[in-house]
Amino acid sequence: MIAQGSGVDQQNIGLKKVGGFCRIPGVKVIAIANQKGGVGKTSTAVNLAAALAARGKDVLLIDVDSQANASSALGFSVAGEQSLYQALIGNCRLEDLIISANRRHLSLVPSHMDLSGVEVELTQGGEHTSCMQRALAGLRENSAFDYVFLDTPPSLGVLMTASLCASDEVLTPMQCEFLSLEGLSKILFVIEQIRDSGIQPSIIHEGILMTMYNNTNLANQVIDQVQENLPDKIYETVIPRSVRVAEAPSFGRTVLEHDPEGTAAWAYKNAAKEFLRRHR
Ligand SMILES: Nc1ncnc2c1ncn2[C@@H]1O[C@H](COP(=O)(O)OP(=O)(O)OP(=O)(O)O)[C@@H](O)[C@H]1O
Ligand SMILES: [Mg+2]
C-alpha cells in the first residue's frame, strides 16, 4: 500500500497495522449502499467516516469496491500482497489488513484489484452470504472501533450481498434525481429479503442521505417525495453539490481537509452530528 501525493500527513503511510484491540462491545457495522452507481456512496463513506473520526469516534472504513475509490480518496493506492479478497476466502484475518488512515481515530481496509475476482469464486463456493460475516466476526468480538463502514460497489452482486449480510444497518446515499427513487425501492426490498431469510435478521435500513443537492424544483420534489414516504429514514441534513467534494479525492483528501469551511464540509459535519443523534 503506498500513498499518493496529498495534502495530508504522509508519514508512516499505510504501514501501521492497528493491533491489540481492547474490547468495547457494540461495534456497529454499517453498509453504505445503493446499487445505483455514482450517487455519492464513496464520498459519503469517506467524509462521514472522517467527520465522525474528527468527533473522536473510532471508525474503520472497509473499501469493498474493486474500483478502490475510498482508498484513493484517503490518499492510498493499491499495492501489497494481502487483500480483502484473501480475508473473504478465509486465507487471512481481516484484522491483519487494517491500516491507519493517517487521520486520528480513522482506520482503513483498502481495496485491491483482485477483489474483482471474488465474485466468481465466492458464488461458486456458495459462500457469498457468509464470507463477510465470517471475516468480520473477529472484529465484532474484540474491537476498538465504534463504527465500521463498508463502502459497497454499485451493483447487487456478490460483494454488495456479502456486505449487506454482514451489516447491522444500511445507510443509503441518494442523489436528488427522479430515477433514484426506483433504486431506493430495490435496495429496501433486498434488505427485507436478507432480514426475512434469517441470514441477518437484525439488519435495519438506518437512513437515507440525500446527496448532490442543487436547489432545483426537481431536487426539491424528490426530497419531498422521500420525506412523505419515509419520514423517519431521511436525514435532515442534505449534502449540496459542490465541486470541492469532487476534487478532494484527487488530492487524497477528505472534503473536510480540502475545504474545511465550505458548504459540503459543513454538511458532512452536520450529517455526522445527526448520525450520532440517531445512534444515541
Ligand atoms: N456532493 C457532491 N458534489 C459534487 N460532486 C460529488 C458530490 N458527491 C459526489 N460527487 C462526485 O460524483 C461522483 C460519484 O460520487 P461517488 O464516487 O461518491 O459515488 P459512488 O456512488 O460511490 O459511485 P460508484 O457507484 O461508482 O461507487 C464522483 O466524481 C464524486 O466526486
Ligand atoms: Mg463508490
Side-chain angles (χ1 to χ4, degrees), residues 36-43 65 67 154 212 239-242 245-246:
K36 204 166 161 6
V39 298
K41 292 183 290 295
T42 301
S43 305
D65 188 350
Q67 296 180 99
M212 301 188 220
I239 309 298
R241 186 175 281 283
S242 156
V245 178

Side-chain angles (χ1 to χ4, degrees), residues 109-270:
V109 172
S111 178
H112 194 281
M113 282 165 291
D114 67 4
L115 210 48
S116 50
V118 86
E119 304 264 338
V120 179
E121 188 149 337
L122 289 173
T123 314
Q124 279 170 354
E127 295 198 55
H128 57 292
T129 53
S130 59
C131 60
M132 187 73 81
Q133 274 184 348
R134 221 182 27 237
L136 284 170
L139 269 188
R140 282 192 181 279
E141 272 176 25
N142 193 16
S143 171
F145 297 110
D146 297 303
Y147 301 106
V148 174
F149 281 3
L150 307 178
D151 181 31
T152 64
S155 82
L156 283 170
V158 165
L159 286 169
M160 167 79 100
T161 311
S163 299
L164 294 177
C165 290
S167 295
D168 302 303
E169 300 180 0
V170 181
L171 174 61
T172 302
M174 186 173 152
Q175 222 174 321
C176 302
E177 284 183 358
F178 177 72
L179 286 176
S180 311
L181 295 166
E182 284 181 15
L184 182 62
S185 49
K186 234 177 252 175
I187 189 127
L188 293 176
F189 177 68
V190 172
I191 292 167
E192 211 174 287
Q193 276 186 320
I194 289 172
R195 189 171 43 231
D196 294 349
S197 69
I199 295 168
Q200 180 60 312
S202 55
I203 188 171
I204 59 163
H205 189 247
E206 194 274 326
I208 299 162
L209 182 64
M210 304 305 294
T211 61
M212 301 188 220
Y213 173 74
N214 60 356
N215 200 13
T216 57
N217 283 344
L218 175 63
N220 290 321
Q221 278 166 13
V222 172
I223 291 178
D224 286 349
Q225 211 161 339
V226 179
Q227 237 152 13
E228 217 168 276
N229 290 298
L230 298 160
D232 304 336
K233 300 289 177 191
I234 187 166
Y235 272 59
E236 280 168 30
T237 308
V238 171
I239 309 298
R241 186 175 281 283
S242 156
V243 70
R244 299 303 206 172
V245 178
E247 67 190 17
S250 64
F251 296 94
R253 296 181 191 140
T254 68
V255 76
L256 284 76
E257 294 156 350
H258 185 59
D259 184 29
E261 296 305 322
T263 52
W266 275 106
Y268 274 114
K269 286 187 241 184
N270 286 335

